[in-house]
């Protein structure tokens, strides 16, 4: 296939037509700010080790892959300003997923089929041939979308610096008359069926149902739509950035996208444009019918499981054959104002890449920061066997609290004091807003106060609170940004999720928080419930930031073990 494609490309002409025309888009658009560039970039809230380019706006991670010893991350990028617009595929490369080198953008509008934008897509490595990118091209001002293909100009270059879009082949897929071409985007990584045909999904919408169209191809060039979408769900609205992959029923190893059989389950993740959060289901992929059926333990809709209950969107996974793992990237948008972003000269970060696997219970996924992150750990402090009574706040001293990694295990000897759970509390965020870290409880709230000022005028608490329901305990995990900054105008949500852990025989909970100036990325109960918050402290900045462990519940808590590290900065130029 690759040779066919390569032959089709006679000359690769770099025609950079970067559009700035106010494309009708689902991202909030600010045409007057799209090409405003500030002379310098504000360092105040820039991250030390989360991925971000040198300046300007980024959103979705695109086409992550491992190729010839190099990790590639592409991302939706505005080369001209700090708000969404002028979208190209930024490109960075790394040997370890943590330290990055920024290259020239890989794809930018240059053809009639992507004149108004090179939107999200994925990479597939064709065995024995090399990578192919499938992405969405925007063809007109009404945001009509087609799917396009790009190949490396030189597949033997591990950095894949130049990409070509063969004219004779593109666009490879267009919406047919029964479909709405303005809600038709974000092709997945393709997988190879047992029948030798490739398959890929494209996100879409019909009436108010979200859906993922399935296309098949023998040669990766001519794609035919299957009669039925692989899956759809009522009232979920447009499915952006679908992701579909197998997970092993036995252990943590990741799997190549084409793996099927009795030893795997499948995961379908969708990013819901209506609220800009994601949900996933775990289920069975019937390859002979090309249908996906979620398990009845996975809610298929708004109340579904989420990779992250905070600021995390348009995520995409890839299989890393060098370490047999599947890794998820997700975009964390800013939650300050557009004007602030323009002043800062940058907006958007990527969450730390996370290894993902199926929990042994089979009902949910677990995620954990890639092990390479630990290479940035510097000075370490530890606390062991420390009792915390109600109202105790113990400072974790001796590390750089604005740029840190903390792991803590907290235990309790009884659940008798747990507050009654009201069954009407179905929404975790509302419950967190009602029962914040200052509201005294029975068992909990207990956890960490991150990015805290010395006198606690500002802080971002990450904590658990345990309730007693009729036949079980309900565990709430919160990352509450309401007290994170004395700037009252910011968007400061009380992010929260429930944690599926049986406390009966094991009365402890663990928490890991990656603190990085304007981000607190937390993993509860070994990566079962995860929450990323963006916060903009005014006082708790740099060396003025502090870290505390606290308990505000009647039941005494024991800090069994707390380890905290100062984190070194990653190289990202
Ligand atoms: N962002 C891209 C789209 C995608 C959306 C455009 C999700 O392709 O649907 O920047 O954030």
């Amino acid at each position: 296939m690759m040779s066919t494609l390569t032959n089709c490309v006679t000359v690769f002409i770099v025609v950079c037509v970067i559009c700035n025309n106010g494309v009708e888009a689902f991202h909030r658009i600010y045409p007057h700010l799209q090409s405003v560039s500030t002379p310098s970039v504000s360092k105040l809230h820039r991250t030390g080790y989360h991925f971000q380019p040198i300046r300007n706006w980024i959103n979705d991670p695109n086409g992550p892959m491992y190729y010839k010893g190099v990790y590639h991350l592409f991302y939706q990028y505005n080369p001209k300003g700090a708000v969404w617009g002028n979208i190209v595929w930024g490109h960075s490369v790394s040997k370890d997923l943590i330290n990055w080198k920024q290259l020239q953008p890989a794809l930018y509008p240059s053809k009639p089929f992507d004149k108004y934008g090179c939107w999200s897509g994925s990479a597939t490595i064709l065995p024995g041939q090399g990578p192919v990118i499938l992405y969405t091209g925007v063809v007109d001002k009404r945001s009509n979308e087609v799917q396009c293909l790009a190949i490396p100009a030189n597949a033997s270059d591990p950095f894949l610096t130049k990409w070509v879009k063969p004219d004779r082949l593109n666009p490879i897929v267009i919406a047919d008359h029964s479909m709405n071409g303005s809600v038709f985007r974000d092709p997945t990584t393709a997988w190879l069926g047992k029948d030798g045909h490739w398959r890929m999904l494209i996100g879409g919408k019909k009436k108010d149902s979200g859906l993922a169209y399935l296309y098949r191809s023998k040669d990766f060039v001519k794609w035919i739509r299957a009669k039925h979408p692989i899956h759809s769900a009522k009232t979920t609205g447009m499915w952006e950035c679908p992701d579909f992959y197998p997970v092993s029923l036995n252990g943590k190893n990741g799997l190549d996208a084409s793996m099927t059989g009795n030893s795997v389950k499948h995961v379908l993740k969708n990013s819901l444009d209506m609220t800009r959060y994601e949900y996933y289901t775990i289920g069975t992929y019937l390859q002979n019918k090309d249908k996906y059926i979620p398990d009845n333990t996975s809610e298929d809709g708004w109340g579904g499981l989420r990779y992250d209950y905070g600021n995390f969107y348009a995520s995409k996974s890839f299989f890393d054959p060098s370490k047999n793992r599947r890794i998820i990237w997700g975009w964390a948008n800013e939650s300050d104002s557009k004007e602030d972003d323009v002043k800062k000269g940058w907006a958007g970060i990527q969450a730390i890449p996370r290894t993902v696997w199926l929990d042994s219970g089979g009902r949910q996924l677990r995620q954990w920061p890639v092990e390479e992150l630990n290479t940035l750990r510097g000075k370490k402090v530890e606390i062991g066997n420390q009792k915390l009574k109600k109202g105790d706040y113990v400072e974790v001293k001796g590390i750089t609290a604005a740029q840190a990694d903390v792991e803590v295990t907290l235990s309790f000897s009884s659940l008798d004091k747990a507050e009654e759970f009201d069954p009407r509390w179905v929404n975790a965020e509302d419950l967190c807003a009602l029962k914040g870290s200052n509201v005294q409880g029975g068992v909990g709230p207990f956890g960490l106060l991150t990015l805290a000022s010395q006198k606690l005028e500002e802080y971002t608490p990450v904590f658990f609170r345990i309730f007693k329901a009729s036949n079980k305990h309900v565990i709430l995990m919160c990352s509450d940004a309401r007290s994170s900054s004395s700037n009252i105008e910011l968007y400061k949500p009380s992010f929260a999720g429930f944690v599926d852990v049986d406390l009966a025989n094991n009365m402890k909970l663990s928490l890991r928080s990656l603190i990085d100036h304007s981000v607190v990325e937390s993993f509860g109960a070994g990566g079962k419930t995860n929450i990323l918050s963006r916060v903009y402290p005014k006082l708790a900045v740099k060396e003025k930031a502090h870290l505390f462990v606290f308990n505000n519940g009647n039941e005494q808590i024991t800090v069994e073990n707390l380890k905290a590290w100062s984190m070194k900065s990653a190289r990202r130029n």
Side-chain angles (χ1 to χ4, degrees):
M1 199 287 304
M2 190 64 94
S3 58
T4 329
L5 288 177
T6 316
N7 291 341
C8 293
V9 182
T10 39
V11 197
F12 176 57
I13 310 166
V14 182
V15 186
C16 183
V17 184
I18 297 188
C19 52
N20 176 24
N21 48 52
V23 173
E24 272 306 309
F26 37 90
H27 288 278
R28 290 282 294 279
I29 58 166
Y30 303 85
H32 61 296
L33 298 175
Q34 282 178 348
S35 303
V36 176
S37 176
T38 40
S40 64
V41 159
S42 160
K43 296 222 163 47
L44 183 63
H45 291 118
R46 267 182 85 78
T47 61
Y49 60 94
H50 282 74
F51 177 88
Q52 57 181 145
I54 296 160
R55 61 186 304 140
N56 296 330
W57 163 275
I58 60 166
N59 54 293
D60 319 353
N62 291 155
M65 68 174 137
Y66 178 81
Y67 184 65
K68 291 190 186 293
V70 177
Y71 291 101
H72 291 258
L73 178 65
F74 305 90
Y75 35 91
Q76 297 279 283
Y77 178 57
N78 178 355
K80 294 185 174 177
V83 303
W84 186 85
N86 309 311
I87 291 295
V88 307
W89 274 44
H91 184 191
S92 292
V93 288
S94 169
K95 289 269 165 86
D96 61 5
L97 289 163
I98 300 298
N99 297 289
W100 292 90
K101 187 173 162 50
Q102 193 171 335
L103 304 179
Q104 286 304 309
L107 303 176
Y108 38 85
S110 63
K111 303 276 184 179
F113 49 80
D114 63 12
K115 191 169 172 202
Y116 293 92
C118 295
W119 287 5
S120 285
S122 308
T124 306
I125 299 179
L126 304 195
Q129 299 188 60
V132 178
I133 284 175
L134 300 177
Y135 70 100
T136 297
V138 181
V139 294
D140 60 26
K141 289 187 179 174
R142 281 164 313 179
S143 182
N144 272 308
E145 295 144 18
V146 297
Q147 315 313 321
C148 314
L149 171 154
I151 52 170
N154 173 8
S156 60
D157 164 21
F159 294 111
L160 301 170
T161 42
K162 275 202 173 141
W163 290 79
V164 287
K165 308 164 183 170
D167 283 323
R168 256 191 41 207
L169 306 177
N170 276 309
I172 52 154
V173 176
I174 53 174
D176 62 48
H177 60 275
S178 66
M179 296 153 66
N180 177 352
S182 69
V183 279
F184 179 58
R185 55 181 176 266
D186 308 336
T188 62
T189 294
W191 70 95
L192 195 55
K194 293 226 159 56
D195 55 5
H197 291 202
W198 288 98
R199 280 129 168 106
M200 61 137 161
L201 304 181
I202 299 171
K205 175 174 119 151
K206 222 168 199 175
K207 299 209 173 107
D208 64 347
S209 295
L211 52 88
Y213 295 108
L214 184 132
Y215 283 79
R216 299 191 195 95
S217 173
K218 268 196 233 167
D219 57 3
F220 226 87
V221 171
K222 188 166 179 235
W223 292 86
I224 295 174
R225 181 162 66 88
K227 220 162 154 198
H228 303 286
I230 194 165
H231 189 57
S232 68
K234 291 212 165 66
T235 72
T236 49
M238 171 66 190
W239 283 3
E240 298 188 316
C241 302
D243 198 10
F244 185 62
Y245 55 87
V247 281
S248 172
L249 279 165
N250 314 300
K252 292 168 78 165
N253 276 356
L255 301 170
D256 176 81
S258 303
M259 182 71 89
T260 50
N262 292 337
S263 58
V264 310
K265 297 293 293 184
H266 271 76
V267 174
L268 177 64
K269 182 279 303 181
N270 302 302
S271 307
L272 304 181
D273 187 28
M274 271 157 81
T275 47
R276 306 199 67 76
Y277 78 60
E278 314 191 305
Y279 82 96
Y280 71 85
T281 52
I282 293 166
T284 304
Y285 170 42
L286 306 171
Q287 194 173 108
N288 52 349
K289 297 191 179 133
D290 271 328
K291 284 298 267 178
Y292 167 76
I293 302 172
D295 291 350
N296 56 15
T297 46
S298 274
E299 184 174 337
D300 190 13
W302 290 105
L305 291 163
R306 293 168 60 180
Y307 286 161
D308 192 295
Y309 291 83
N311 187 337
F312 189 92
Y313 193 69
S315 65
K316 192 169 292 295
S317 72
F318 74 105
F319 174 61
D320 171 9
S322 74
K323 293 200 173 175
N324 278 321
R325 57 186 173 174
R326 181 163 288 273
I327 293 172
I328 297 182
W329 281 102
W331 162 48
N333 197 0
E334 301 302 307
S335 53
D336 58 357
S337 71
K338 289 296 138 198
E339 290 68 28
D340 282 345
D341 291 345
V342 172
K343 260 190 243 151
K344 294 194 320 237
W346 59 273
I349 62 168
Q350 303 296 347
I352 293 297
R354 304 168 176 186
T355 308
V356 63
W357 69 98
L358 183 66
D359 179 56
S360 56
R363 292 192 304 263
Q364 71 162 109
L365 298 173
R366 285 173 61 186
Q367 298 158 68
W368 201 244
V370 291
E371 61 189 16
E372 289 85 343
L373 183 66
N374 299 359
T375 59
L376 295 181
R377 286 174 168 176
K379 187 179 172 204
K380 174 182 175 189
V381 296
E382 259 187 281
I383 297 178
N385 196 26
Q386 165 107 39
K387 310 280 180 218
L388 296 181
K389 291 201 287 304
K390 183 166 78 185
D392 282 350
Y393 287 69
V394 172
E395 181 162 4
V396 181
K397 289 191 175 150
I399 53 152
T400 54
Q403 195 172 310
D405 180 358
V406 201
E407 289 193 51
V408 60
T409 303
L410 301 146
S411 68
F412 30 91
S413 51
S414 160
L415 290 167
D416 291 348
K417 294 181 188 148
E419 298 154 83
E420 289 294 325
F421 184 75
D422 182 336
R424 286 173 300 180
W425 291 337
V426 283
N427 183 311
E429 264 188 43
D430 291 348
L431 184 53
C432 176
L434 186 71
K435 300 221 173 233
S437 61
N438 289 327
V439 179
Q440 294 188 345
V443 186
F446 57 80
L448 300 170
L449 294 189
T450 68
L451 294 174
S453 57
Q454 179 73 73
K455 293 192 183 146
L456 298 184
E457 301 94 332
E458 291 181 345
Y459 54 91
T460 301
V462 186
F463 61 94
F464 298 109
R465 186 169 196 128
I466 301 169
F467 299 90
K468 205 183 311 176
S470 54
N471 56 355
K472 57 172 184 170
H473 286 93
V474 176
I475 306 162
L476 177 74
M477 175 173 160
C478 292
S479 178
D480 188 355
R482 282 174 300 167
S483 307
S484 61
S485 167
S486 29
N487 182 345
I488 45 171
E489 279 150 33
L490 296 180
Y491 167 60
K492 296 192 275 190
S494 311
F495 288 130
F498 294 109
V499 191
D500 187 1
V501 171
D502 182 5
L503 294 173
N505 303 315
N506 191 17
M507 289 211 259
K508 47 177 84 157
L509 284 167
S510 69
L511 176 66
R512 179 173 183 188
S513 286
L514 306 174
I515 304 160
D516 197 2
H517 303 276
S518 61
V519 52
V520 180
E521 185 174 358
S522 302
F523 300 82
K528 283 189 154 184
T529 300
N530 311 308
I531 310 179
L532 189 154
S533 295
R534 297 302 312 279
V535 292
Y536 306 90
K538 279 185 149 183
L539 306 171
V541 294
K542 309 255 162 91
E543 52 295 331
K544 292 200 194 106
H546 299 263
L547 173 68
F548 296 86
V549 54
F550 80 100
N551 175 27
N552 222 349
N554 285 318
E555 175 68 24
Q556 176 175 278
I557 299 298
T558 304
V559 181
E560 295 220 332
N561 188 264
L562 181 149
K563 295 189 189 108
W565 293 264
S566 294
M567 290 295 272
K568 291 173 241 164
S569 295
R571 287 189 306 278
R572 290 159 303 165
N573 55 19

